[in-house]
Amino acid sequence: MSSPLLTTLLAQPLVPPFIYVHHPHHPTPSLSLVAPAAASSSTARVATLDAIEHHTPRLLYSSIVARLSRTCGHEVEAEIKTFDALARALRGVFAAAKATGNGKGKGKAGEASADGLGDAAHAHGVAIIVITKAERLRSVLGPRWAAITRLGELAELPITVVLASQVPYDTLRPLAAPEPVHVAVAPVLREAATVALLPASPHPLWPRFLDLVGAATAALLPAGPPLDLAYLADALWPIYVAPLPPHREMRALGLEYPASKADTDTDANAVANADSDGEPDAPPPLEISVKLLTDLKHQLALALAAAIESVLPRTVGAADFAAAMHPTAVPAADADAHARGHALARPLGLPRPPRNVPRPPAIELPTAARFLVVAAYCASYNPAKSDLRLFGRGVGADRKRKRGGGTRRAGYGRTRVGKVPQRLLGPKPFPLDRLLALFAALYAEHAPRPEDLDPSALSDDDDAALRRWPPPSTSSVNTAAVVARLERRRAHEIEADEQWEDVVDALTMSAKLWALIPELESQGLLRRVSPVDRLDNVQLRCEADYETAKTFAKELRITLDEYLYEATL
């Protein structure tokens, strides 16, 4: 999709130095919206970058210089770490372009972009720097990222900076930043998105399938781009047409006509039996009726609901979803048809085998990181007053470490009538010291111990003595020896527990464990809600869902429900 306003702005002799493109209904702006086509990149001085890919100042500055110099005909590969070095490098690029004649407006007509942006920039000698995902610039360049918005002014060069983001500029507005020219990208209506996808398939059911998917996702995608609707349609279309009987339009689905008796007849008989299209024994055309559309809609209901929850948020790929939800089992009558190489499904209404949505691939994390995720989930969904009962550890009468709180059961907390459970409200932030305390309790309870600190590893003599307890009363000497041996074993257990607690405390306060927290933040499992410059009271929040936390807990041999205040039904 293109923006006429942006095209007009960049086609003016005096291009605004700072333009902000707000596209709340589009995941990423298309290249035709803010940049020339790839074929014209050598004739237009336009550089397009992504703030997620270029996540450090060195990568961002170096890529700007490299891509602008490449459009001028001489690529400059330099490692630039500061803004002053960026300004000097850009002056060198403009000077070299002027010396070679690439900056005097001598571009080739006919090599411009689809929107004319490349011709405008080339004719007037303006360099356009487009940065998508601009909301990440604060984390990339720091609190003084406003300098990139004044790049043309500070470098004294004809440079236009175009920032594109789904976040409004008032939310991102930095200090000392100029007021940009605001460009709002109009949303794509559902009707327009459906019309744009009609040429994708010539099958007669394709328009009705698009109407069905569009109506089901109208509340979720009232003004979404065609990309989301197309991605959802790619996953559901094979499932939608799977129950269809053989019909003449089946080649539009990539299927061949089923083998018939004409294969054994003579060529004369095959020609005699050919249909009007010249196809021998082609199936009859598909008869679209209300009953057919109703049956197709009912058999797609389960897959459509699952696709909205898994395919649309991109947790499961479209191809994996279609392969998992496709009705692969067929009756014996259709086995020969499948063996002949085409996927003809069975008639509508027959029972289908159970189908499950494929799970996303497992996240590979070290053991300590998995304990951190489970502890963070418990901290986000449990009140702080329940920590002592759920995670407390004390010393019993026999001087052994025991969890406090007495008898425990899953979800002992009672939700008052009218109060919304925390699992429906979402995760709550928690301080860093609480996360470390819960991690220490879980790690000390469930982590595998070394052999020298494992009190369950008994010696042969101690094990034999326990099996003979109580000892025979024939000899008081033997009884005293067994009691002494058991006392030594109990002392060894207490000493092993104390040493294990010291090991857990050392791990909890180690820099190696603390370095896992930013790594979990980068993977989307944790999120820091306190300001980055605050070091005394760091607040975190668990972004992992219940299934992810339960999977990690199961791998660690932890029953997650026993550590939750409210039972998860």
Side-chain angles (χ1 to χ4, degrees), residues 160-417:
T160 296
V161 178
V162 180
L163 301 183
S165 175
Q166 292 180 293
V167 181
Y169 183 71
D170 292 337
T171 306
L172 301 179
R173 185 187 302 272
L175 298 176
E179 186 66 23
V181 177
H182 296 267
V183 177
V185 181
V188 181
L189 299 180
R190 181 169 61 89
E191 294 77 8
T194 304
V195 172
L197 295 177
L198 284 178
S201 176
H203 198 275
L205 287 177
W206 177 250
R208 300 177 183 269
F209 168 74
L210 290 179
D211 293 339
L212 174 62
V213 176
T217 58
L220 300 176
L221 302 173
L227 180 62
D228 291 338
L229 187 60
Y231 191 76
L232 194 62
D234 290 341
L236 294 175
W237 176 243
I239 306 173
Y240 183 77
V241 299
L244 293 178
H247 55 283
R248 186 172 301 174
E249 297 85 358
M250 61 187 301
R251 287 189 174 178
L253 305 176
L255 306 176
E256 295 295 335
Y257 293 153
S260 61
K261 295 181 180 179
D263 296 338
T264 60
D265 294 342
T266 61
D267 295 339
N269 294 334
V271 174
N273 295 331
D275 64 347
S276 59
D277 295 335
E279 294 290 345
D281 290 341
L286 181 66
E287 296 182 2
I288 301 178
S289 60
V290 177
K291 182 179 183 304
L292 176 64
L293 296 178
T294 303
D295 292 339
L296 291 176
K297 183 182 70 173
H298 285 318
Q299 69 92 19
L300 189 68
L302 176 62
L304 180 58
I308 292 176
E309 296 181 358
S310 57
V311 177
L312 199 58
R314 303 301 196 270
T315 57
V316 178
D320 296 338
F321 181 86
M325 300 296 291
H326 194 279
T328 56
V330 294
D334 293 340
D336 295 337
H338 281 271
R340 284 191 290 267
H342 57 85
L344 292 180
R346 42 216 165 85
L348 297 172
L350 293 181
R352 298 183 179 275
R355 294 171 288 175
N356 298 321
V357 179
R359 293 187 176 183
I363 303 176
E364 297 294 336
L365 292 177
T367 302
R370 284 179 285 179
F371 272 104
L372 276 176
V373 174
V374 175
Y377 186 85
C378 296
S380 286
Y381 289 91
N382 290 341
K385 63 181 182 181
S386 65
D387 290 349
L388 183 60
R389 179 182 179 92
L390 296 175
F391 298 91
R393 292 172 59 84
V395 180
D398 54 353
R399 300 178 62 188
K400 290 185 178 181
R401 295 276 182 175
K402 294 182 178 180
R403 260 187 288 196
T407 304
R408 300 179 62 256
R409 59 184 177 88
Y412 78 91
R414 294 182 179 180
T415 304
R416 297 191 302 270
V417 177

Side-chain angles (χ1 to χ4, degrees), residues 13 18 87 105 147 180 209 283 348 370 375 430 432 464 474 481 507 521 532 569:
F18 183 27
F209 168 74
L348 297 172
R370 284 179 285 179
F430 52 86
L432 177 61
T474 56
L507 176 62
E521 290 185 48
V532 182
L569 303 178

Side-chain angles (χ1 to χ4, degrees), residues 415-467:
T415 304
R416 297 191 302 270
V417 177
K419 181 182 178 182
V420 181
Q422 188 61 42
R423 66 179 182 276
L424 301 180
L425 296 176
K428 296 187 301 182
F430 52 86
L432 177 61
D433 54 356
R434 186 184 176 203
L435 172 64
L436 297 177
L438 298 188
F439 167 81
L442 288 175
Y443 197 86
E445 183 77 18
H446 300 281
R449 297 190 183 187
E451 294 183 359
D452 56 340
L453 298 181
D454 190 1
S456 61
L458 298 175
S459 62
D460 297 339
D461 296 340
D462 292 339
D463 195 10
L466 287 178
R467 286 197 300 266

